[in-house]
Amino acid sequence: MAEAEEDCHADLVRTDDNERSGEANLQAELQMFRAQWMFELAPGVSSSGLEPVPCRASSREPGLKSVDARGKQEIAKEEKAKELFLKAVEEERNGALYEAIKFYRLAMQLVPDIEFKITYTRSPDGDGVGKRCVEDSKEDDKMADLLTDFQQQLALQESSVKLCQPEVYVSQTHISALPMEVLMYIFRWVVSSDLDLRSLEQLSLVCRGFYICARDPEIWHQVCLKIWGRSCNKLVPYASWRDMFLERPRVRFDGVYVSKTKYIRQGEQSLDGFYRAWHQVEYYRYLRFFPDGQVMMLTTPEDPQSIVPRLRTKNTRTDAILLGHYRLSQETDNQTKVFAVIMKKKEEKPVDYHKYRYFRRVPAQETDHSFHVGLQLCSSGRQRFNKLVWIHHSCHITCRSTGETAVTTFDIDKMYTPLFFARVKSFTAYSEKPL
């Protein structure tokens, strides 16, 4: 009986060993199949390039190791290419184009289509391009609700807490002690009659209270009324009066529109007749707009450094300046145009009676000259409403005695170069009147 039990026990052990070896072979086959499948899905590898798989389990282990090594190499190569590509993007944003091209080339040598595999969710330094893009979008959302957030914070505070408080104790009276009406009057002086909204935005960076005051709808409504007049009674489709000021096309008042024109003119022939001189003519056109609807225009060969300071006020002594009025017009084609009528400043000359004392002379007919100008308002580059393109220019001569008017229209050709805006800090350095 003991020998029979030992034989039965030995048979059971053999059966268990056979089942374990079969299960191990099955696991090895499954792992090999997974490795082959992942290798075939890898870019640039086809199933036809694979070698036939042996059936024996002893020969599968080296093949599995080689496939894993190849997969790891491909992954490492792609990670290195991503790192180089993101570094090239960073260098390009910093202005180092030569270094950026070098890193772009190295990345594409490793993985030719690396550009399409970048998700911009991270960078090699951990604070990369994608992360900054996500942070910027979050900051934009936060800035959109900043005014509401500040108002709620002030509303939750005690009633004794003022709009703004000094960071350190001061013995003198702080500006926060002023009533709200006085503060708003100061803000209107900051904006001034020149509509210096840039200074208002800078003032809003001082504290939360000043930020709320600078977003006062009444200030921005008055600014819009001064620019567009009665045509801006309705706020739709803009979310606020400030959004209307930022988005709606308008001319800019904190600088001057300048154009430079060059052409070559043939001169007179020399006395000996051997040559004829050629002259290069160069001149500038300046346009300065004011919030009250007035405009100044000047055509001169003098450069902007000497002319721009004279255009600060309308009471300039430059004789060649033309003064007039302008209006904004938005046509059916959604293009904003500027139409202006300008003329030379009238100067009353004293009548010289001694000139006609001894003989009768028929005086020349007095005429008035006015120029009609049409310009299309455009945006160029990152700046908005900084370009004026000529669409019309004509001269109207009116006889005072008869009232007849002769119109001469000029052809808009290459001599009428576009005018580009240039900001002048001195134009808004002083405030003459509040808003």
Side-chain angles (χ1 to χ4, degrees):
M1 289 293 293
E3 293 178 3
E5 288 179 358
E6 288 178 0
D7 293 337
C8 182
H9 180 70
D11 293 335
L12 291 175
V13 171
R14 292 192 193 97
T15 304
D16 292 338
D17 291 340
N18 293 333
E19 288 178 357
R20 289 175 185 175
S21 61
E23 190 175 4
N25 294 337
L26 183 61
Q27 290 292 334
E29 289 180 3
L30 183 59
Q31 290 180 3
M32 189 61 191
F33 173 75
R34 288 175 180 172
Q36 288 179 353
W37 179 59
M38 292 297 294
F39 185 70
E40 290 175 2
L41 291 180
V45 178
S46 61
S47 59
S48 61
L50 293 176
E51 297 179 358
V53 183
C55 296
R56 290 182 299 178
S58 60
S59 62
R60 288 171 184 159
E61 295 180 0
L64 181 60
K65 292 181 180 180
S66 63
V67 171
D68 291 341
R70 290 180 184 178
K72 291 179 180 180
Q73 288 179 0
E74 292 293 334
I75 294 174
K77 186 186 296 184
E78 187 172 334
E79 289 295 326
K80 183 63 176 179
K82 286 182 179 180
E83 182 179 349
L84 292 172
F85 191 87
L86 290 174
K87 194 170 184 181
V89 172
E90 186 70 20
E91 294 292 339
E92 184 178 2
R93 289 194 174 187
N94 295 333
L97 298 181
Y98 180 78
E99 296 293 331
I101 292 173
K102 183 176 68 174
F103 289 120
Y104 278 135
R105 187 175 297 168
L106 291 175
M108 296 184 70
Q109 285 177 355
L110 293 175
V111 180
D113 57 345
I114 187 62
E115 181 180 1
F116 304 102
K117 297 182 179 180
I118 299 292
T119 56
Y120 299 101
T121 56
R122 67 177 188 84
S123 75
D125 298 331
D127 184 22
V129 182
K131 188 175 180 180
R132 277 200 298 274
C133 292
V134 174
E135 291 177 354
D136 291 343
S137 62
K138 291 181 180 179
E139 289 295 329
D140 293 339
D141 297 339
K142 188 176 180 180
M143 289 296 293
D145 300 332
L146 195 58
L147 179 60
T148 306
D149 187 23
F150 285 169
Q151 290 175 344
Q152 291 177 355
Q153 290 180 16
L154 291 176
L156 293 175
Q157 291 176 353
E158 300 178 1
S159 58
S160 60
V161 178
K162 300 176 183 178
L163 188 65
C164 57
Q165 292 181 338
E167 292 185 356
V168 295
Y169 175 76
V170 290
S171 58
Q172 300 177 350
T173 303
H174 192 256
I175 192 172
S176 60
L178 297 176
M180 178 62 72
E181 293 79 6
V182 178
L183 277 175
M184 296 308 301
Y185 188 67
I186 294 175
F187 274 66
R188 293 177 186 273
W189 266 100
V190 172
V191 178
S192 75
S193 58
D194 296 327
L195 302 187
D196 184 13
L197 279 309
R198 187 185 184 92
S199 297
L200 180 66
E201 291 294 309
Q202 291 177 344
L203 188 61
S204 68
L205 303 176
V206 175
C207 62
R208 291 179 297 178
F210 280 17
Y211 186 90
I212 295 175
C213 292
R215 295 299 189 274
D216 183 40
E218 187 62 28
I219 291 180
W220 293 97
H221 188 197
Q222 289 191 11
V223 169
C224 294
L225 285 175
K226 292 201 69 173
I227 296 176
W228 294 287
R230 297 179 180 178
S231 63
C232 69
N233 289 331
K234 295 182 180 180
L235 190 59
V236 179
Y238 305 100
S240 64
W241 296 110
R242 182 174 177 270
D243 289 342
M244 177 183 286
F245 173 81
L246 295 175
E247 300 296 333
R248 189 171 177 179
R250 55 181 170 80
V251 292
R252 300 181 59 176
F253 310 118
D254 55 343
V256 60
Y257 289 87
V258 187
S259 70
K260 182 179 180 181
T261 305
K262 288 183 180 181
Y263 68 93
I264 297 177
R265 179 177 61 84
Q266 187 177 8
E268 297 183 357
Q269 193 172 4
S270 62
L271 296 177
D272 53 10
F274 284 106
Y275 68 93
R276 183 183 294 272
W278 291 84
H279 305 280
Q280 180 177 351
V281 182
E282 179 179 311
Y283 64 92
Y284 298 86
R285 280 195 182 98
Y286 302 90
L287 268 177
R288 169 81 199 279
F289 295 94
F290 294 92
D292 59 356
Q294 296 192 16
V295 61
M296 289 194 307
M297 181 177 176
L298 176 62
T299 304
T300 176
E302 298 185 50
D303 59 353
Q305 292 182 352
S306 59
I307 290 296
V308 168
R310 305 182 201 174
L311 303 178
R312 185 179 179 276
T313 62
K314 292 171 281 190
N315 301 323
T316 180
R317 296 182 180 181
T318 306
D319 297 332
I321 284 185
L322 304 175
L323 292 175
H325 292 80
Y326 73 93
R327 64 180 178 88
L328 295 175
S329 175
Q330 188 166 6
E331 305 293 341
T332 56
D333 55 357
N334 283 335
Q335 292 183 350
T336 303
K337 298 176 182 178
V338 184
F339 295 100
V341 179
I342 52 180
M343 59 184 65
K344 195 172 183 180
K345 292 190 297 182
K346 296 181 180 180
E347 296 180 358
E348 297 183 358
K349 297 181 180 179
V351 180
D352 188 5
Y353 295 100
H354 298 283
K355 187 175 181 180
Y356 307 104
R357 183 176 180 181
Y358 298 105
F359 59 91
R360 178 178 294 179
R361 184 175 179 181
V362 179
Q365 292 185 354
E366 296 183 352
T367 58
D368 293 329
H369 293 72
S370 62
F371 297 91
H372 292 227
V373 174
L375 301 160
Q376 181 178 337
L377 185 61
C378 308
S379 297
S380 175
R382 295 184 178 179
Q383 296 186 7
R384 308 197 68 183
F385 322 127
N386 67 329
K387 183 179 179 181
L388 293 173
V389 180
W390 288 88
I391 57 176
H392 176 76
H393 190 203
S394 61
C395 177
H396 294 236
I397 303 175
T398 304
C399 182
R400 293 183 182 179
S401 59
T402 61
E404 296 179 354
T405 302
V407 180
T408 304
T409 303
F410 304 103
D411 295 332
I412 305 298
D413 53 9
K414 63 180 181 179
M415 304 299 294
Y416 289 88
T417 56
L419 297 99
F420 290 92
F421 180 79
R423 179 172 168 261
V424 183
K425 295 182 180 179
S426 62
F427 285 178
T428 55
Y430 304 97
S431 297
E432 297 179 355
K433 292 187 299 183
L435 176 63

